[in-house]
Amino acid sequence: MSADRPTRNQIQFGVFFQGVNFSTIWTEPESGSQTDFESFRRVAQTAERGLFSAFFLGEGLRLREHLGRLHDLDVAGRPDAQTQLAALAAVTSKIGLVATQNATYNDPFDLAHRLQSLDLLSGGRAAWNIVTTDNAWTGANFRRGGYLDHADRYTHAEQVVETVRAVWDSWDSDDRAHLVARDFGAFDVRGLGRLPRSAQEHPVLFQAGDSDEGRDFAARSAEVIFSAHGLFEPAKAFAEDIRRRTVAAGRPADDLKIFPGQQFVLAETDAEARDKAIWVREKQITPATALAFLENIWGTSLAAYDPDGPLPDIDPVVEVTGETRGAGFRAKKTKETADAWREQAAAENLSIREFVFKVGGRLEGGIIGSYQTVADLLARYADEHVVDGFNVSPYLIPTGLDDIVDRLVPELQERGVYPTEYRGDTLREHLGLRAPLTRRGADADPSRQTPSFDLV
């Protein structure tokens, strides 16, 4: 294995353990459980062996529902992200630990303490992926359903982030705790943070929103952005837009690292990889999955329709979709969507299942090829600085990273576009990030500007 070539840009990998959805194949003999710690341990330790920068967990605040029933076609339920990551901190030593946590339904003071606890216990490896939710269906679990308007979700999130950061900054370098006081109407806090700073000052901030508001929020507040734009040209356009917004927010263009999600299907040859990709696609989108995908738009059972036949000729029974199957299906105008889908399927002579392969699967958005072909492609991403890395979504748990770590990573290292060792011990060091935004320049220690208390 050759040493790093510092003159060439490098990319990094993170791993996205999705948990529930049809992108992960849960039906094969080697498939693990989405709730068994062994699944998380195996994936995290394999990723760390491959020098991945981070292990990324999603979050579900309510079990998904489909046509008024619990949706269990794939799998249902997953453990709390921070609890999982605390357990993984004990069996790993380098890899970053990213917890998706909702800014709408978490109280900022408590959230700050839990994330800072993970950061301290892991030696400075924690991160917070900031997400928002405004719908009443999810909020019903918290007795606060629909309390936040959709247009206000990022304004509220920004207030939560400011408060969380203030808690993290409240202990200065002389071990004096400074008062944190905020009043934003929807919440107010007044108190002292309960922990000192971690080895990386405070957790790294991730963000994944793709709307204009979400991108601007990331440009102002986040340090890593996770996107769905993984193919070369869309990824390049996304990166240009994000770097423009980051500069407009008063930050250096490279201050916000870009990590699109990506599925890799690899084999010895390109032809074998294409055959494997067909197998992956057919396992991900079964006939029942294809019908359920359309039912999200039609709003009624389509069990009478042949998955290998044309799209339904009946119209949807609802006007707009809800959020019970996740953000990807939320607020769709059903008649308009159904007409467009039928027109596309007829024009391309696609059956129901073939159509869902095209619009609902990961094949079109995935990278498929031999280890050498994919390594050459990723070297182009690195050379043109299209991304800073990929958040890899394995289609099998817990073995889905094995060929990436054992075969693709060495190919990338030979080309000088992938690290050959961790840069340090903290996630901030792995990602090459600057100091947290509240710890720079004249405002390097904002906690000193507020009343302080000696710690005894």
Side-chain angles (χ1 to χ4, degrees):
M1 183 183 302
S2 64
D4 281 352
R5 300 169 190 170
T7 57
R8 197 168 189 185
N9 283 333
Q10 294 191 336
I11 59 170
Q12 299 185 55
F13 286 148
V15 56
F16 180 20
F17 190 118
Q18 296 208 39
V20 291
N21 53 49
F22 58 79
S23 297
T24 309
I25 301 168
W26 296 105
T27 54
E28 290 304 287
E30 63 266 42
S31 297
S33 161
Q34 90 282 8
T35 59
D36 187 345
F37 178 68
E38 176 59 17
S39 298
F40 303 108
R41 182 203 64 76
R42 175 79 153 75
V43 172
Q45 291 184 339
T46 302
E48 189 168 73
R49 180 164 58 81
L51 304 176
F52 280 38
S53 56
F55 179 96
F56 184 107
L57 281 174
E59 180 190 48
L61 296 180
R62 180 168 176 170
L63 291 176
R64 297 173 300 164
E65 296 174 10
H66 182 70
L67 302 182
R69 303 185 302 275
L70 173 67
H71 180 70
D72 58 357
L73 187 58
D74 316 312
V75 291
R78 48 186 166 185
D80 169 69
Q82 288 188 67
T83 305
Q84 294 175 60
L85 296 175
L88 289 175
V91 297
T92 56
S93 61
K94 293 286 190 181
I95 193 168
L97 305 165
V98 188
T100 297
Q101 298 285 282
N102 197 290
T104 306
Y105 295 116
N106 276 291
D107 290 320
F109 224 90
D110 178 55
L111 177 62
H113 184 67
R114 286 187 278 116
L115 288 167
Q116 195 173 18
S117 297
L118 179 63
D119 206 26
L120 278 167
L121 292 172
S122 64
R125 294 187 283 139
W128 172 24
N129 178 41
I130 307 161
V131 296
T132 65
T133 300
D134 56 79
N135 65 79
W137 177 76
T138 301
N141 272 1
F142 302 89
R143 300 179 65 187
R144 285 185 280 169
Y147 84 100
L148 189 65
D149 287 342
H150 184 72
D152 294 333
R153 65 198 192 285
Y154 281 116
T155 301
H156 178 82
E158 207 142 7
Q159 294 166 350
V160 171
V161 170
E162 180 186 326
T163 305
V164 167
R165 279 178 163 147
V167 174
W168 292 340
D169 287 333
S170 66
W171 282 40
D172 65 27
S173 53
D174 298 325
D175 274 352
R176 289 172 63 84
H178 294 254
L179 183 68
V180 176
R182 296 288 189 281
D183 186 353
F184 288 116
F187 68 88
D188 64 273
V189 299
R190 182 177 177 85
L192 299 174
R194 288 171 280 170
L195 288 170
R197 301 177 182 186
S198 75
Q200 63 171 355
E201 299 282 316
H202 60 59
V204 174
L205 298 183
F206 281 58
Q207 206 272 334
D210 199 30
S211 64
D212 281 339
E213 297 96 327
R215 294 184 186 199
D216 283 338
F217 172 65
R220 290 192 300 271
S221 303
E223 296 169 294
V224 182
I225 187 166
F226 174 45
S227 85
H229 308 287
L231 293 183
F232 191 87
E233 292 302 331
K236 189 173 182 179
F238 180 78
E240 290 171 352
D241 180 64
I242 289 299
R243 288 168 184 149
R244 178 185 58 77
R245 292 173 193 259
T246 304
V247 171
R251 303 169 61 186
D254 65 348
D255 218 31
L256 181 57
K257 305 300 182 186
I258 300 170
F259 274 68
Q262 191 60 272
Q263 173 180 279
F264 292 93
V265 181
L266 308 169
E268 291 290 349
T269 67
D270 290 344
E272 290 174 4
R274 285 193 293 272
D275 288 344
K276 184 189 284 189
I278 293 171
W279 177 86
V280 170
R281 181 181 63 180
E282 292 182 344
K283 290 293 180 180
Q284 290 173 327
I285 302 176
T286 65
T289 300
L291 288 177
F293 187 92
L294 294 196
E295 287 169 351
N296 289 309
I297 299 299
W298 266 258
T300 188
S301 172
L302 301 175
Y305 288 84
D306 181 358
D308 295 319
L311 268 65
D313 52 4
I314 62 170
D315 284 335
V317 300
V318 295
E319 292 185 2
V320 179
T321 59
E323 45 274 314
T324 62
R325 279 289 306 278
F329 295 103
R330 182 179 184 276
K332 302 285 188 187
K333 294 179 180 178
T334 58
K335 179 66 165 58
E336 183 179 306
T337 302
D339 286 345
W341 285 7
R342 280 189 289 238
E343 182 179 348
Q344 181 182 351
E348 300 180 25
N349 194 29
L350 300 175
S351 68
I352 289 175
R353 197 174 179 204
E354 289 169 334
F355 178 77
V356 178
F357 284 164
K358 191 174 186 65
V359 303
R362 302 300 300 270
L363 187 62
E364 297 298 320
I367 291 179
I368 301 160
S370 70
Y371 305 109
Q372 294 78 16
T373 297
V374 172
D376 288 339
L377 174 62
L378 297 190
R380 185 181 171 213
Y381 276 84
D383 287 340
E384 298 191 29
H385 197 197
V386 172
V387 299
D388 295 288
F390 289 100
N391 217 7
V392 179
S393 297
Y395 53 82
L396 277 175
I397 295 293
T399 59
L401 293 183
D402 291 0
D403 59 352
I404 294 173
V405 169
D406 295 335
R407 301 295 303 275
L408 180 59
V409 164
E411 291 284 347
L412 295 170
Q413 289 171 327
E414 287 293 337
R415 289 160 176 76
V417 296
Y418 191 86
T420 55
E421 61 184 1
Y422 280 108
R423 296 177 181 177
D425 296 318
T426 70
L427 177 56
R428 192 170 295 278
E429 289 173 308
H430 303 338
L431 295 170
L433 292 171
R434 298 178 176 88
L437 285 168
T438 54
R439 305 274 174 83
R440 299 182 189 177
D443 298 326
D445 205 347
S447 64
R448 291 181 180 277
Q449 302 165 16
T450 61
S452 65
F453 301 83
D454 289 320
L455 299 168
V456 296

